[in-house]
Amino acid sequence: MIVGIAVLVAASFAFFLVVFPVIARRLLGIQVGITRTVLTGGVATGGISLASTLIRTPERQGLLMGVQMGIALMLAMVFLVVSEMVVPSASGAGRLRTLRSRIARIRRYSQISGIAVRHGLSPYLRGRGDRSGKGKAPGNARLARPLRLALEEGGPTFVKLGQVLSTRHDLLSPEFIAELSRLQYQVRPECPERIAAQLHEEFGRPPEDVFAHFEHEPLAAASIAQVHLARLHSGENVVVKVQRPGVRAGIERDLDIICRMASMLDRRARWARDLGVVELAEGFAGSVREELDFRVEARNLATVRAAWAQRDAGPSVIIPGAVDDLSGELVLVLERLPGLPVGAGGAELAGSEEERAGLARSLLGSLLTQVLVDGTFHADPHPGNILLLDDGRIGLIDFGSVGRLDGQVRSALRRFLMAVHHADSAALRDALLDLITRPEEIDEQGLERALGRFMARHFSTGSAPDVKVFVDLFRLVSAHGLGIPPEVAAVFRALATLEGTLTRLSPGFDIVAESRAWASDDRGGARAGGFASVGAPLESELYSALSALRRLPRRLDRVTSALEEGRLSVNVRVLADSRDRRYLRVLVHEILLTVLAGTAGLMAVILMHATGGPMVTESIRLFEVIGYHLLVFSGVLCLRMLYVIFRAQR
């Protein structure tokens, strides 16, 4: 007898422990792990005990058993909703890993907060630095140096962020650009023993066995990797790009923190919203993740070199090849280009002024060709990535950061360049609208007039366009509520960065005038990628435009005739898109559930306070029993709707 009772109690406990969490999860439409399921079952079991205590008399407990079950179910649902609000659930397999990463992120948050406080940046992280109320980024010189020091102390990811920001002339003032540019060359090298261990792990043997000679002293050090000189057993001189040991885990954690901080600033600071810090952070994170895998850079090199070889681009600009047998995810072995970066202090510009201008012209033509013809281009041509070779040629290195453009964007960019060349503001407006993310409403005439003023300011006779062209273009687009896609913004950033490199290479070099000459002159022709090389696409577009113009009068005549005769009608298919139908169906379901919950609650209150009706027992009315059950039903539906609202907001 005792054993039977014990088995019954155990079975009942197991039933409540398993069934109630499953029902609660199904009603809320939520997936939780084993730990939270067990806790939910415990709460439901406690709810049964609580309900039994509230309903004291045995006859009430028998009649209101459904109410007791409903109370237990509601408590289980309340526990799930509250726990989801406090600690969102993760997959069961990754729960422990998620907890560890959360702890590590909190620790890193505290470190970053300490760095910000030490350098006086905490007011800006809290959104209190924007005191002017005009939504402008804090652009004074006294903030530039603390920001650079804080980024430098923050580690490789934040150093890389500072390097990227140092090229954003369209966003930051010259004080910030000058200070952050110091991060391009002030990165401490990694310990030689750790680099040797990294190479040993990648190759399965010491670097001395892989190479005939290996320089343990790095040639250059960056935030993610550093470069060493080496010589293959075949006698070929190469450079070995090695990723810093253990840098990946820290960078992934810091990228997550940067994206979270960007979201926080977007909510708190107007200047952050105006700069689009969320999009900047997401673009930066995607670019850095690509740079962590050197196989991506090897593929980028192969793509650009293949296009270069097909076009017979000439010997002025050289791109190194990769040694595929020795390259992998963490190590990249490249052909060595003997020379120094244009931005290095020891790089001497030999030759006459005309020869240096010719090198700058070749470098500009190579980037324009990559952008407008190939569709894959070097997205970070700062002076450290441009080599002045010993034989007087130009070398392009570090293809870890590249931009990619599809055919439609390249066509729009060509039309954009043609419109600038011909000073046609209407054509420039049309090309720009093909490039940007177009909103539903836009003042096209106002945009055309603004573009006309823009070209008159920068491209009129006697003007000397510089990097401010790109700054003003970004501001003009932003002022009209337009958004530039990341791949198009990368083109303008690359050109703005290249302008500084070309100025160092050939002081006084006019990037805008030379771009217009490249586009129209036959010096480049099909070989350089000017408009002569894209004649076929332009001819096709012109033919399409002429065909549309020939059909236009006939179509206008049909429309006006139908309008005159009263036969003009518009056929609109309502809810033709499946997404619209799905949205409407979900909306109707939620409205019905809300109405049903409110109606059930109102009916429950009315029935519980009704004085008449049949009696189930001497002290319990039928309407009272129904009212209690309806109240539980209403509570379950209300919890379901509250969770749906919370999940949508999250």
Side-chain angles (χ1 to χ4, degrees), residues 372-388:
L372 298 176
V373 180
D374 301 339
T376 302
F377 62 94
H378 198 304
D380 191 19
H382 65 76
N385 288 336
I386 309 298
L387 300 181
L388 182 64

Side-chain angles (χ1 to χ4, degrees), residues 279-309:
E279 291 78 10
L280 289 174
E282 292 175 351
F284 170 72
S287 174
V288 171
R289 289 192 177 98
E290 278 196 356
E291 293 187 44
L292 288 173
D293 190 347
F294 292 165
R295 294 171 297 186
V296 175
E297 182 174 352
R299 289 195 296 269
N300 295 337
L301 276 171
T303 301
V304 176
R305 281 173 60 88
W308 220 242

Side-chain angles (χ1 to χ4, degrees), residues 308 311 364-375 518 528-529:
W308 220 242
R311 206 169 33 252
L364 173 62
S366 70
L367 183 64
L368 291 175
T369 302
Q370 293 173 34
V371 170
L372 298 176
V373 180
D374 301 339
W518 175 89

Side-chain angles (χ1 to χ4, degrees), residues 391-412:
D391 58 5
R393 295 183 296 178
I394 293 293
L396 284 178
I397 61 172
D398 194 0
F399 277 77
S401 176
V402 299
R404 298 179 180 87
L405 305 173
D406 58 31
Q408 182 178 358
V409 173
R410 295 200 302 272
S411 176

